[in-house]
Amino acid sequence: MNVGTLINDLTIFVLAILLGFEVISRVPATLHTPLMSGTNSIHGIVLVGAIALGAAADNPLTGIVAFVAVVFAGANVVGGYWVTDRMLQMFKRRPVPKADKPAE
Amino acid sequence: MNTTDLGYLVQVAFLLGASLFAIGLHQMNSPASARNGNRLSAIGMTIAVIAELTFVANSSPGIGNWLIIVGGLVVGGAAGLRLARTVAMTAMPQLVSLFNAMGGGAAALLAIDDFIRLGGQRTPEGALSSLDGWLVFFIVVDVIVGSVTFTGSLIASAKLMGRLKGQPIILPGGRFLSAVALIVSVSCSIVLVLAGAGLFNYDTQILDVLLMAAMIGALIFGVTMVLPIGGADMPVVISMLNAFTGSAVAMAGFVVGNVILIVAGALVGASGAILTKLMAGAMNRSIANILVGGFGVAEGSQAAMTSEGGTIREVSVDDAAIQLAYASKVVIVPGYGLAVAQAQHGVRELADLLEARGIDVSYAIHPVAGRMPGHMNVLLAEANVPYPQLKEMDEINPEFERTDVALVIGANDVTNPAARTDRSSPIFGMPILDVDKARSIIVMKRSMGRGYAGVDNPLYVNPKTGMYFADAKQGLANLIAAVKAQ
């Protein structure tokens, strides 16, 4: 890792953290659960790294490691976005009349 | 297209993806735009994944590699989809924990794999040709944080699911084991970083063993860290593990040299950090205090308070119904007890009845009313409560003075006025809902049991307070019937 790369990466990292603080401190408490599950899906971006691992795997050990990583990250991404959407569609200004789900 | 050009294109796609993440999060600032924001974020993710797949396809990997990638995507995607579609909203905290575990685990695996593969390129003399101090630093931080998150989140999830006891679990020698695991993990890491920096020459196999030791230490530490933490502290723990996952992903970005991982990890880390601070603040406890565990244990002054503190007044269903039906402003204070009793729909039904009578109804939501940040809001939204009625603590507290009836259901510690007035109380200083300022208060509660903090609640002996002893679900059903009869 050369010093140039390191400094570039650190710059991006620090700026992204500041951006994160700025954007997220405006999220109202009402939405904190969807926020958390939404950011959860965002960290599923490790999927990109896991796919690269899968492509580079050249022996059984790295193959297994890569497979497990792809499974974890894939579940994280798909499940995370889906459940966040499921939650957010419930937030309504006024309930839709008669759209009541049977109470469990 | 040659590989270099395609590489640049992939970078641009990643930039687009990262921007969509940021814009999507920005749109989470209002319930009206949040769903769209989440979709934008999902589009960003899709773009990034397709870009990576294109890049991989261009390097024409073997069939085995495709099997790993496609097979993993299908298995993982199907499992994630199944979980997401079937999970009950009360079970969101454990699902989020589970996804934390997966993200953290995947991030740690990335670093481990990098270390193993780079290990193969080391020269026979043991010098680390393709590793250097910084790279090894990011690898070990990723492995340690990712591993702690992995086991910690699994334990948190198991506790929330009820597979493990929700109460603090104190292992004999747990603290000692915790300390040993952490020390082993950190010292192995220091040696690895120094070796990476070229200060030592070690056999590559020894380095692999050291990394495994650091990982195992971190895995054990994750377990011992979360086990002693009690159920009501879960909002803090989940937020913290979320921040950890973000950090681990960002570290993985440094390791594999991928900018979108760094950006996404940083965004998640920032979000987790903010929520952790908010949650800890809402309980007036430091994060260190929560991690050390144990709350309200052996406080000598508690018994005295009950004896000096007046009598309890019980109200009948009909009295409660009359108070509610002839009020002009009612504030409902739901606590986790409401969710446990699955009474969210009942509460909505009662609110609808009151609103039909022209009564102003709102809900006062304490930040820790649930098992994760904002949990109660989701549970009420699921029961079709319109979100403008869900009021945050700072917004609703000034309104209690103008409130005719505050209806407290399954909430205890967050309404305890001792937090404002009694310096000797273990919860002194915790921000609470000022329920006691309402003109009258109805507390629906199963019994006189204490809340999580184990302290008495002077609200219950307040002359304005009527206690209605019932299970939340049954009690609400009775109350609805009685209000209808008015």
Side-chain angles (χ1 to χ4, degrees), chain B residues 108-404:
Chain B
L109 287 175
L110 245 58
I112 291 168
D113 178 272
D114 215 59
F115 195 84
I116 297 171
R117 266 185 308 123
L118 290 175
Q121 294 165 20
R122 286 174 212 149
T123 56
E125 293 80 47
L128 303 168
S129 62
S130 39
L131 287 168
D132 61 28
W134 279 109
L135 191 54
V136 176
F137 171 78
F138 290 121
I139 289 178
V140 293
V141 176
D142 184 356
V143 169
I144 290 179
V145 178
S147 305
V148 170
T149 315
F150 182 67
T151 49
S153 301
L154 286 180
I155 295 289
S157 190
K159 280 192 160 215
L160 288 159
M161 279 190 259
R163 300 262 168 89
L164 283 175
K165 275 195 309 174
Q167 288 84 31
I169 298 173
I170 312 289
L171 292 178
R175 294 251 161 95
F176 178 70
L177 183 62
S178 223
V180 170
L182 192 64
I183 290 168
V184 167
S185 200
V186 170
S187 42
C188 288
S189 307
I190 292 172
V191 176
L192 281 166
V193 172
L194 293 178
L199 288 166
F200 300 119
N201 255 353
Y202 276 118
D203 187 63
T204 53
Q205 265 143 8
I206 293 181
L207 292 178
D208 286 345
V209 169
L210 282 175
L211 187 70
M212 289 307 121
M215 181 189 77
I216 292 168
L219 288 171
I220 294 173
F221 181 73
V223 175
T224 53
M225 180 179 81
V226 178
L227 268 184
I229 301 176
D233 284 332
M234 277 302 160
V236 182
V237 176
I238 295 179
S239 311
M240 198 181 64
L241 290 168
N242 194 227
F244 279 12
T245 317
S247 320
V249 170
M251 293 302 123
F254 281 101
V255 173
V256 299
N258 190 328
V259 171
I260 197 172
L261 258 63
I262 298 177
V263 174
L267 289 174
V268 180
S271 154
I274 289 177
L275 291 175
T276 309
K277 194 168 158 290
L278 280 177
M279 291 302 112
M283 304 178 87
N284 190 36
R285 300 178 63 194
S286 71
I287 293 155
N289 176 289
I290 288 162
L291 289 182
V292 169
F295 191 25
V297 195
E299 288 280 339
S301 66
Q302 281 165 26
M305 216 165 67
T306 335
S307 52
E308 71 185 51
T311 48
I312 289 163
R313 183 170 62 89
E314 269 195 65
V315 288
S316 68
V317 194
D318 295 319
D319 285 347
I322 290 170
Q323 282 190 48
L324 287 169
Y326 296 98
S328 63
K329 182 173 172 61
V330 170
V331 175
I332 299 174
V333 183
Y336 193 62
L338 177 88
V340 172
Q342 290 287 328
Q344 305 93 295
H345 290 272
V347 90
R348 207 275 333 279
E349 215 180 311
L350 177 66
D352 283 354
L353 265 181
L354 297 176
E355 284 200 298
R357 298 178 68 101
I359 300 167
D360 172 20
V361 181
S362 47
Y363 297 80
I365 316 273
H366 193 273
V368 293
R371 285 294 179 265
M372 70 183 292
H375 193 194
M376 186 55 69
N377 297 283
V378 172
L379 296 175
L380 291 174
E382 189 190 21
N384 274 335
V385 173
Y387 65 79
Q389 284 185 355
L390 306 172
K391 300 285 170 64
E392 292 177 28
M393 184 165 57
D394 296 338
E395 199 183 346
I396 196 79
N397 268 347
E399 290 186 30
F400 276 113
E401 286 178 11
R402 287 180 282 116
T403 301
D404 298 304

Side-chain angles (χ1 to χ4, degrees), chain A residues 19-28 32 35 39, chain B residues 25 267-268 270-271 274-275:
Chain A
L19 173 72
F21 277 126
E22 197 54 41
V23 168
I24 286 148
S25 46
R26 293 179 195 188
V27 177
H32 277 165
L35 168 71
T39 53
Chain B
L25 282 176
L267 289 174
V268 180
S271 154
I274 289 177
L275 291 175

Side-chain angles (χ1 to χ4, degrees), chain A residues 1 9 21 24 28-29 31 33 39-41 45 53-55 57 62 67 75 79 81-82 85-87 92-93 100, chain B residues 28-29 35 41 45 65 76 80-81 84-85 87 92 96 100 113 132 254 268 271 348 373-375 384 386-387 392:
Chain A
M1 184 176 249
D9 286 359
F21 277 126
I24 286 148
L31 289 179
T33 294
T39 53
N40 241 314
S41 7
I45 192 67
L53 283 198
T62 50
F67 181 75
Y81 280 114
W82 191 282
D85 188 66
R86 216 185 113 195
M87 255 188 283
K92 296 188 190 87
R93 221 175 274 277
D100 221 350
Chain B
M28 286 263 191
N29 64 9
R35 196 174 180 200
S41 172
M45 179 67 70
N65 299 82
L81 195 60
R85 289 175 69 127
V87 69
M92 271 313 294
V96 164
N100 269 339
D113 178 272
D132 61 28
F254 281 101
V268 180
S271 154
R348 207 275 333 279
H375 193 194
N384 274 335
Y387 65 79
E392 292 177 28

Side-chain angles (χ1 to χ4, degrees), chain A residues 85-98:
Chain A
D85 188 66
R86 216 185 113 195
M87 255 188 283
L88 287 172
Q89 62 158 357
M90 300 184 317
F91 282 86
K92 296 188 190 87
R93 221 175 274 277
R94 277 280 136 194
V96 182
K98 300 293 163 212

Side-chain angles (χ1 to χ4, degrees), chain B residues 96-108:
Chain B
V96 164
S97 278
L98 206 59
F99 287 151
N100 269 339
M102 288 176 182

